């Protein structure tokens, strides 16, 4: 990995001849010391900044528990459901390992939403961190794909119908839709070939995520961290070495995060799931009320909100376009927000619109779970419209009409001012 | 000299582009089988045609059978249902099709359709919804007694699979 301007003055001197020998051939100790210990980090980072480390922990938990589950799971339609029950009932400690994996998916998404919303408030996507942000959105997309395929593996009613509905989204694409649908499913309907390939991909994608996370951290270590006031680091007094200051702060954040995590896993492992998924998949009966996992609800609400034709685009394709657009628009956020000021703390108007957007996102989550009828249908349309208006109208305009509050001249100054 | 240099550069460019093109074709030819293996395999395609005897279905009842892994409705419609379907003017339909076009001559009481909502593939619930036909619980699409879309997000009518009556009661689907 390339050396960043902030870390090129390495303090590492090999302690003995073996370290010296290694350093001349593979400077891995030097690299680790620079990037994991000495890395200059703004000294004013708050607890919202611990979610990066928490997310690395989440990925680690999912990979470790997942590799173990794969040792006991059978990816075949006639055995998948029973093998998950076997894990929960017979395998030593399997009940907890499965619970941590299933709850872990929800906790992973809870953390990633906090991480994304932190970035949005403090303008962490702005120059020079656009690539860092884009890689983050890519990780989010990969997480969604991985979580979806993982949800299919227990082969309950929700699993099978989630697979049916989500693969059907691709059928909306003109001309190539149906062949693509059959290609994805490996058949005319969701069946054994589908389950098999989802298992294979569900095992592979976390390692792809880990690789993109490495790029994400690399892209972070070139400009260094953003910070709550959004003012660039000016000199050494603005920073602290990552270790021990932020390793400890992150570790403490992780411990706090593990409290609700453990509560769910130990006391309510199924509360975030659906009872219908304890009925084996039946391709002839759809459950009366199918909803995705909570972390997909906002986007699901957008998918359902388009129930009318737009010119020559039918409602089905329209829903898919808005659904895909609601996620893909995040890639363009660095250029849609025209304000030069990063932190929302110094943007009096943005602050209000930010919270309005956050509330709207929660409303979309609620509407995604509500039945598609009556007032909910109308509200979903309004909320969907606002979601896009925020990105396409409000953010570009705010940068032009808003007068930001004066920024502190440096991180040190803002930290010292607070103490008095 | 200049023209010679230009000449040789053009020839070199040609070799360069030609090599690249051959490599590109080779790469596509290599990747294609790796993608194509995802397509339905021979054992899946082998189930492409089935026969079913409809004589056991009383009037006003339906059965759901599996064809290529897809659920298929076979409904023995009542005279009232047929009349209701035929009374609908075509201009009221989102995906216009006559009732006759969706059944076989001489077997109008039999409605055979793939039981996947054309929206996102859920199985609609029979004899419910606002049009006495089918109602999809997933996103609220209503179909009439001929399986035509009347209300909701589904873009088209329930799909009629290719089928033929081999005798009065034996039907071959696929």
């Amino acid at each position: 990995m390339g050396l960043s301007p902030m870390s090129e003055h390495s303090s590492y001197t090999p302690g003995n001849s073996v370290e010296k020998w290694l350093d001349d051939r593979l400077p891995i100790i030097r690299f680790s010391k620079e990037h994991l210990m000495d890395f200059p980090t703004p000294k004013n980072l708050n607890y919202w900044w611990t979610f990066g480390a928490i997310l690395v922990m989440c990925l680690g938990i999912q990979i470790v528990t997942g590799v173990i589950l794969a040792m006991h799971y059978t990816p075949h339609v006639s055995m998948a459901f029973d093998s998950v029950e076997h894990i929960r009932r017979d395998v030593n400690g399997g009940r907890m390992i499965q619970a941590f994996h299933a709850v872990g998916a929800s906790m992973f998404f809870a953390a990633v939403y906090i991480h994304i919303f932190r970035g949005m408030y403090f303008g962490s996507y702005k120059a020079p961190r656009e690539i860092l942000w884009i890689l983050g959105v890519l990780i989010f997309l990969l997480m969604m794909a991985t979580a979806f395929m993982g949800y299919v593996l227990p082969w309950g009613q929700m699993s099978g119908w989630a697979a049916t509905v989500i693969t059907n989204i691709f059928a909306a694409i003109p001309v190539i839709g149906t062949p693509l649908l059959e290609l994805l499913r490996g058949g005319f309907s969701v069946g054994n070939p589908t389950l098999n390939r989802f298992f294979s991909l569900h095992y592979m994608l976390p390692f792809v995520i880990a690789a993109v996370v490495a790029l994400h951290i690399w892209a972070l270590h070139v400009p260094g961290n953003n910070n709550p006031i959004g003012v660039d680091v000016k000199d050494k007094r603005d920073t602290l070495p990552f270790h021990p200051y932020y390793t400890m702060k992150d570790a403490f954040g992780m411990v706090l995060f593990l409290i609700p995590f453990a509560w769910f896993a130990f006391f309510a492992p199924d509360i975030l799931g659906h009872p219908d998924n304890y009925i084996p998949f039946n391709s002839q009966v759809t459950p009366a009320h199918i909803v995705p996992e909570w972390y997909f609800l906002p986007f699901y609400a957008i998918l359902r909100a388009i129930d009318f034709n737009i010119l020559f685009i039918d409602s089905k394709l329209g829903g898919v376009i808005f659904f895909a657009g609601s996620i893909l628009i995040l890639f363009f956020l660095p250029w849609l927000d025209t304000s030069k000021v990063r932190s929302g703390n110094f943007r009096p108007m943005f602050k209000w619109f930010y919270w309005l957007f956050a509330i709207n996102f929660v409303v979309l989550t609620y509407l995604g779970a509500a039945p598609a009828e009556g007032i909910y249908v109308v509200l979903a349309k309004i909320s969907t419209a606002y979601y896009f208006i925020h990105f396409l109208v409000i953010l570009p305009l705010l940068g032009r009409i808003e007068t930001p509050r004066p920024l502190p001249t440096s991180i040190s100054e803002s930290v010292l001012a607070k103490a008095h | 000299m200049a023209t010679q240099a230009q000449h040789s550069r053009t020839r070199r460019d040609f070799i360069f582009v030609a090599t690249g093109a051959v490599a590109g074709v080779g790469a596509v030819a290599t990747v294609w089988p790796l993608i194509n293996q995802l397509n339905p395999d021979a054992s899946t395609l082998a189930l492409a045609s089935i026969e079913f005897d409809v004589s056991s279905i009383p009037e006003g009842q339906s059965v759901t059978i599996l064809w290529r892994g897809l659920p298929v409705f076979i409904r023995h419609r009542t005279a009232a249902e047929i009349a209701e379907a035929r009374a609908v003017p075509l201009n009221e339909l989102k995906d216009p099709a006559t009732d006759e076009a969706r059944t076989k001559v001489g077997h109008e009481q039999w409605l055979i359709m793939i039981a996947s909502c054309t929206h996102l593939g859920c199985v609609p619930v029979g004899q419910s919804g606002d049009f006495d036909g089918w109602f999809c619980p997933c996103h609220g699409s209503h179909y009439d007694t001929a399986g035509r879309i009347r209300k909701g997000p589904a873009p088209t009518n329930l799909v009629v699979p290719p089928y033929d009556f081999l005798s009065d009661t034996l039907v071959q689907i696929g």
Side-chain angles (χ1 to χ4, degrees):
Chain A
M1 291 189 182
L3 292 175
S4 76
M6 296 183 73
S7 63
E8 62 199 2
H9 303 294
S10 175
S11 62
Y12 175 67
T13 35
N16 54 48
S17 56
V18 178
E19 275 187 37
K20 173 86 175 69
W21 182 87
L22 180 65
D23 194 53
D24 290 339
R25 285 155 181 83
L26 179 71
I28 191 166
I29 301 174
R30 176 184 299 276
F31 178 83
S32 305
K33 189 159 189 310
E34 276 173 23
H35 285 276
L36 302 175
M37 296 179 75
D38 297 344
F39 191 74
T41 312
K43 62 183 176 185
N44 59 340
L45 298 188
N46 58 35
Y47 272 101
W48 299 117
W49 260 263
T50 62
F51 279 88
I54 287 169
L55 283 160
V56 171
M57 174 184 74
C58 284
L59 180 61
I61 291 173
Q62 291 309 92
I63 289 178
V64 170
T65 54
V67 167
I68 293 168
L69 290 174
M71 295 176 187
H72 303 278
Y73 170 79
T74 314
H76 187 274
V77 287
S78 64
M79 292 187 274
F81 185 88
D82 289 345
S83 73
V84 174
E85 289 309 305
H86 159 76
I87 289 167
R88 290 171 65 110
R89 290 152 200 262
D90 305 336
V91 174
N92 300 329
R95 184 174 75 90
M96 287 327 300
I97 294 166
Q98 195 271 341
F100 268 93
H101 195 73
V103 169
S106 277
M107 299 307 292
F108 204 160
F109 275 95
V112 89
Y113 280 124
I114 293 171
H115 193 64
I116 291 169
F117 272 83
R118 188 271 287 157
M120 285 180 166
Y121 183 79
F122 293 107
S124 298
Y125 47 81
K126 292 184 190 183
R129 298 186 180 82
E130 299 96 325
I131 297 289
L132 172 60
W133 172 262
I134 286 168
L135 289 167
V137 178
L138 192 62
I139 293 168
F140 181 50
L141 274 176
L142 287 166
M143 278 176 65
M144 291 175 110
T146 311
F148 157 66
M149 288 192 253
Y151 192 59
V152 173
L153 302 184
W155 210 241
Q157 273 287 65
M158 284 295 176
S159 300
W161 288 104
T164 302
V165 168
I166 301 299
T167 50
N168 237 309
I169 286 178
F170 292 92
I173 300 169
V175 188
I176 61 160
T178 305
L180 180 64
L181 178 68
E182 287 171 7
L183 181 98
L184 290 172
R185 288 177 174 175
F188 305 104
S189 58
V190 167
N192 199 54
T194 325
L195 177 61
N196 251 264
R197 64 191 55 183
F198 279 16
F199 177 63
S200 170
L201 294 171
H202 183 71
Y203 205 116
M204 179 201 70
L205 283 178
F207 299 99
V208 177
I209 293 177
V212 185
V213 167
L215 292 178
H216 190 64
I217 296 172
W218 184 5
L220 169 70
H221 279 212
V222 174
N225 294 74
N226 183 31
N227 66 83
I229 63 165
V231 172
D232 286 329
V233 168
K234 299 230 162 57
D235 61 48
K236 241 178 118 58
R237 282 177 310 164
D238 291 342
T239 66
L240 292 168
F242 187 71
H243 178 77
Y245 295 95
Y246 285 107
T247 45
M248 285 305 121
K249 189 163 185 163
D250 286 345
F252 186 60
M254 288 181 198
V255 170
L256 291 182
F257 186 79
L258 282 171
I259 294 171
F261 196 137
W263 181 83
F264 278 117
F266 284 106
F267 297 105
D270 289 326
I271 203 170
L272 298 164
H274 301 283
D276 275 304
N277 220 25
Y278 287 96
I279 303 168
F281 175 51
N282 177 353
S283 65
Q284 300 191 42
V285 182
T286 307
H289 190 54
I290 84 164
V291 282
E293 294 287 86
W294 69 268
Y295 40 79
F296 291 142
L297 290 172
F299 305 105
Y300 189 65
I302 290 172
L303 172 73
R304 288 198 309 189
I306 312 300
D307 59 359
F308 48 88
N309 296 351
I310 306 162
L311 303 175
F312 59 92
I313 299 167
D314 70 34
S315 52
K316 181 175 172 178
L317 180 60
V320 173
I321 290 170
F322 275 76
F323 171 73
S326 65
I327 301 162
L328 298 181
I329 201 167
L330 294 173
F331 282 115
F332 301 96
L333 180 56
W335 295 277
L336 290 169
D337 184 347
T338 51
S339 173
K340 291 273 179 288
V341 177
R342 292 197 190 106
S343 173
N345 283 345
F346 301 97
R347 299 185 60 190
M349 292 169 79
F350 168 82
K351 209 183 267 188
W352 287 101
F353 284 108
Y354 171 85
W355 287 111
L356 212 56
F357 176 76
I359 292 165
N360 186 60
F361 197 72
V362 174
V363 169
L364 279 171
T365 306
Y366 175 79
L367 293 171
E373 57 191 35
I375 184 74
Y376 297 125
V377 177
V378 182
L379 288 175
K381 290 190 176 92
I382 296 169
S383 275
T384 298
Y386 187 75
Y387 181 94
F388 286 96
I389 288 169
H390 177 82
F391 287 112
L392 296 173
V393 180
I394 293 171
L395 286 182
L397 278 182
L398 273 188
R400 295 201 173 86
I401 61 175
E402 179 184 56
T403 313
R405 287 175 40 214
L407 293 170
T409 49
S410 74
I411 292 171
S412 295
E413 187 205 70
S414 80
V415 171
L416 292 172
K418 222 181 271 175
H420 292 291
Chain B
M1 287 322 259
T3 51
Q4 203 181 358
Q6 229 165 20
H7 183 74
S8 66
R9 199 160 65 224
T10 319
R11 207 165 66 178
R12 180 156 293 205
D13 282 351
F14 174 76
I15 293 167
F16 195 69
V17 170
T19 311
V22 170
V25 170
V28 170
T30 310
V31 169
W32 172 242
L34 302 180
I35 303 287
N36 188 39
Q37 54 79 25
L38 290 168
N39 270 318
D41 60 29
S43 72
T44 304
L45 295 172
L47 303 171
S49 175
I50 57 164
E51 288 179 11
F52 187 79
D53 186 355
V54 297
S55 60
S56 59
I57 310 169
E59 189 175 307
Q61 298 288 308
S62 321
V63 295
T64 309
I65 61 170
L66 280 181
W67 171 63
R68 308 201 304 192
L70 293 164
V72 170
F73 288 141
I74 302 180
R75 174 146 184 90
H76 192 168
R77 297 191 295 174
T78 62
E81 284 173 342
I82 298 169
E84 189 182 337
R86 292 190 173 180
V88 182
L90 281 185
N91 58 15
E92 274 184 26
L93 298 171
K94 190 172 175 182
D95 180 15
T98 60
D99 186 60
E100 289 84 350
R102 294 177 56 76
T103 52
K104 298 279 184 219
V105 180
H107 299 94
E108 286 85 356
Q109 72 273 39
W110 301 106
L111 185 61
I112 300 179
M113 308 178 297
I114 295 174
S116 295
C117 180
T118 55
H119 181 223
L120 291 174
C122 296
V123 177
V125 179
Q127 288 63 65
S128 58
D130 296 352
F131 300 90
D132 305 320
W134 285 265
F135 171 70
C136 182
C138 289
H139 308 96
S141 291
H142 299 255
Y143 298 90
D144 66 13
T145 57
R148 295 172 297 198
I149 180 65
R150 300 298 292 274
K151 196 174 132 190
T156 58
N157 302 333
L158 288 174
V159 174
V160 176
Y163 71 92
D164 262 315
F165 278 90
L166 301 178
S167 73
D168 213 31
T169 57
L170 190 65
V171 64
Q172 185 190 50
I173 301 174

